[in-house]
Amino acid sequence: MHKVQAKGILSSKNGMNVYRGCTHGCIYCDARSDCYNFGHAFEDIEVKENAPELLEKALRSKRRRCMIGTGAMCDPYLHAERELRITRRCLEIIHKYKFGVTVLTKSDLIMRDIDLLEKINRETKAAVQMTLTTADEELCRIVEPNVCTTARRLEVLLEMKKRDIPTVIWFTPQLPYINDTVENVRSIVEMGAKADVRGIITFGMGLTLRSGDREHYYAQLDRHFPGLKERYIREFGDRYEIPCPNGRELWEAFIVECERHGIEWQQERIFAYLNEFPEPEQLTLEI
């Protein structure tokens, strides 16, 4: 872990990442890709220690309140957050200035801040997005080894439901010949229904591999799934998009299960909901 003084914290679309790199150890992580120009080891977390100050300055100067997103490129609840509490400080600032927030994570450390998320949601809007890739607990420990398993993430979603905090599942990626089964699709959607999620996001059925990410993923395949790397190379070569061979069957099952449970699955509608900031109610005079 090393600390830096960042020059800015909010993107043009009001997203923020207070860390760079990750310690969750997911075997498929796209953020490892060379295109992101890491100048340090991926597990050597870069901490933007002035993120709260930058965020407060940015929110003070905004003319209109909006949703602030975090977690798109780096999970805001890395192991370092337990001690550093930078994400929590940023949530406190979002609450102070009456903005909304949407958080994407795999970690149950978010439960530490459920009180704050509840306050934000009561006054404006807070939405929690949780990544679930497999209902198989043993498989989860292999593909996402350093973070809580799917069963615990479902418990988090259920706790959010109790507090009336809206939730969304990210069901991605699907790894060919690993978690790409209709049974897994049905199990994840069932979990979403149990937690009463607003929607489930998936980007087709497959994963993406780029230089940097591909080498790490293949090394993990050799370690945990002997012979599978060679099959990937034969079938997919150096392609960026790696579709599941049974992708159509998976996609059809996904839509059927979502519609059966009344769960939104269309990306544009889910993202529109996540980005929508609630306008304050207009007071009317009764005559």
Side-chain angles (χ1 to χ4, degrees):
M1 182 176 68
H2 63 282
K3 298 178 180 180
V4 299
Q5 292 290 307
K7 294 181 180 179
I9 195 61
L10 284 185
S11 71
S12 60
K13 295 184 178 180
N14 299 308
M16 67 175 183
N17 290 286
V18 301
Y19 302 108
R20 286 193 77 209
C22 192
T23 49
H24 288 341
C26 304
I27 69 172
Y28 52 76
C29 183
D30 175 72
R32 290 180 178 274
S33 300
D34 294 342
C35 63
Y36 298 117
N37 299 314
F38 273 82
H40 53 88
F42 190 68
E43 289 79 11
D44 176 18
I45 303 303
E46 180 178 287
V47 180
K48 300 174 185 177
E49 62 176 348
N50 61 332
E53 292 77 15
L54 290 173
L55 179 63
E56 182 156 24
K57 181 179 178 181
L59 298 191
R60 257 201 323 257
S61 64
K62 277 191 175 291
R63 298 178 65 181
R64 296 187 63 181
R65 292 196 291 264
C66 62
M67 297 297 292
I68 306 297
T70 186
M73 280 298 298
C74 181
D75 198 308
Y77 287 101
L78 300 181
H79 301 85
E81 169 62 19
R82 192 175 300 278
E83 175 185 350
L84 297 176
R85 301 173 68 86
I86 295 177
T87 295
R88 172 141 190 127
R89 288 163 59 198
C90 288
L91 290 177
E92 289 170 344
I93 291 165
I94 289 169
H95 178 240
K96 174 182 176 181
Y97 289 94
K98 309 302 182 189
F99 280 70
V101 69
T102 178
V103 181
L104 173 60
T105 185
K106 287 186 178 84
S107 174
D108 60 350
L109 181 55
I110 194 173
M111 289 297 296
R112 181 199 64 191
D113 297 337
I114 193 170
D115 61 327
L116 193 47
L117 291 166
E118 185 177 22
K119 289 178 183 177
I120 295 171
N121 192 55
R122 192 180 302 128
E123 297 178 20
T124 54
K125 178 181 173 182
V128 171
Q129 304 170 72
M130 184 68 71
T131 299
L132 306 182
T133 57
T134 176
D136 185 322
E137 289 288 282
E138 290 305 312
L139 181 57
C140 186
R141 291 186 180 96
I142 293 172
V143 299
E144 298 158 346
N146 302 329
V147 69
C148 64
T149 62
T150 302
R152 175 57 179 158
R153 293 179 220 172
L154 175 58
E155 290 177 357
V156 171
L157 291 172
L158 293 171
E159 286 299 317
M160 296 295 166
K161 176 184 176 182
K162 290 179 182 177
R163 305 287 187 103
D164 293 322
I165 298 170
T167 55
V168 166
I169 287 174
W170 281 60
F171 178 35
T172 184
Q174 290 75 38
L175 311 175
Y177 312 117
I178 297 177
N179 69 332
D180 58 336
T181 67
V182 170
E183 179 184 7
N184 190 49
V185 169
R186 289 173 177 160
S187 295
I188 296 297
V189 177
E190 286 281 352
M191 291 180 188
K194 187 174 182 180
D196 196 22
V197 299
R198 294 297 184 100
I200 302 178
I201 294 171
T202 190
F203 300 95
M205 293 290 166
L207 80 158
T208 58
L209 292 177
R210 293 188 266 208
S211 177
D213 172 23
R214 181 182 290 106
E215 290 77 8
H216 178 79
Y217 182 64
Y218 281 174
Q220 297 307 308
L221 291 187
D222 278 340
R223 180 181 178 188
H224 299 289
F225 308 97
L228 190 52
K229 177 185 74 175
E230 288 72 24
R231 186 172 186 178
Y232 269 66
I233 293 171
R234 282 197 312 271
E235 296 188 16
F236 308 118
D238 291 331
R239 292 171 61 178
Y240 167 61
E241 294 184 355
I242 310 297
C244 294
N246 59 340
R248 177 172 292 185
E249 180 187 17
L250 298 176
W251 184 249
E252 289 175 354
F254 174 69
I255 294 174
V256 167
E257 291 301 306
C258 284
E259 294 194 341
R260 184 166 73 88
H261 290 287
I263 298 174
E264 183 61 69
W265 56 269
Q266 296 191 55
Q267 289 180 29
E268 64 275 11
R269 293 182 181 177
I270 301 173
F271 284 121
Y273 166 75
L274 291 172
N275 291 322
E276 181 184 23
F277 183 78
E279 296 296 331
E281 294 184 7
Q282 297 292 326
L283 296 177
T284 58
L285 296 176
E286 294 185 5
I287 300 176

